[in-house]
Amino acid sequence: MRVRDGLLGVLVGAALALAVVLGPSVAGASSSRPSPSSVGSPKEDFMFQVTHVHTADQGGDTFNFYLRYRYRAGLPSARYPNFLNIRRMLLRYMAPKRTQYVEVLNTHICTRIKNHFPLQAISCQFQVYNGVDPGYRSSIVTIGNIQPLAIPAP
């Protein structure tokens, strides 16, 4: 029994030593490789702007809207949304007199656009000028994995 226990101990010890020596190189090699699906898969983004839109909001502000969005992965180009439809949705949303903060307006419409069209991510920037306060104020809302917009005011 002692010989068998000793032999078993030697085998277990050798296996552990081998695992310690080879383990980091094997684990490192396999975990550092990019997955086949992430290599070469393009990300397709689109951006447009709607500038100098005068609204009844908050006393007659003038808005600049910037939208950048990323199509869902694998979306066929035949299913890309026409940006004019997104633009119309934005302008229809902003048409009634709204007294909400620009951040709330931006969050609502950005979320609606993201949920209504086949988009993976979206970043919306609203710049507002009221003609009274010095300079523009701006709200940026980003949903999903896309770089947030940061367009400087005119």
Side-chain angles (χ1 to χ4, degrees), residues 101-116:
Y101 290 108
V102 67
E103 300 93 318
V104 174
L105 294 170
N106 193 358
T107 300
H108 286 173
I109 191 60
C110 196
T111 302
R112 282 185 183 195
I113 291 169
K114 164 78 171 61
N115 292 337
H116 189 266

Side-chain angles (χ1 to χ4, degrees), residues 1-117:
M1 180 120 31
R2 284 184 175 189
V3 173
R4 187 170 31 157
D5 289 345
L7 185 56
L8 184 61
V10 168
L11 289 175
V12 169
L16 286 173
L18 188 59
V20 167
V21 170
L22 294 178
S25 63
V26 171
S30 64
S31 65
S32 64
R33 290 183 193 165
S35 68
S37 63
S38 67
V39 175
S41 58
K43 294 173 179 61
E44 298 178 85
D45 296 355
F46 188 83
M47 183 177 167
F48 70 93
Q49 61 187 357
V50 183
T51 58
H52 308 295
V53 176
H54 187 74
T55 69
D57 180 47
Q58 300 175 2
D61 291 340
T62 300
F63 281 81
N64 292 330
F65 303 107
Y66 302 91
L67 284 82
R68 178 176 177 215
Y69 47 86
R70 176 164 293 157
Y71 301 119
R72 287 185 188 152
L75 184 69
S77 60
R79 293 213 35 235
Y80 287 0
N82 185 331
F83 84 95
L84 294 174
N85 294 332
I86 296 173
R87 182 182 188 276
R88 272 190 288 277
M89 178 184 263
L90 167 69
L91 293 175
R92 270 196 310 261
Y93 183 81
M94 294 301 296
K97 182 174 171 114
R98 299 182 182 274
T99 57
Q100 298 165 324
Y101 290 108
V102 67
E103 300 93 318
V104 174
L105 294 170
N106 193 358
T107 300
H108 286 173
I109 191 60
C110 196
T111 302
R112 282 185 183 195
I113 291 169
K114 164 78 171 61
N115 292 337
H116 189 266
F117 295 95

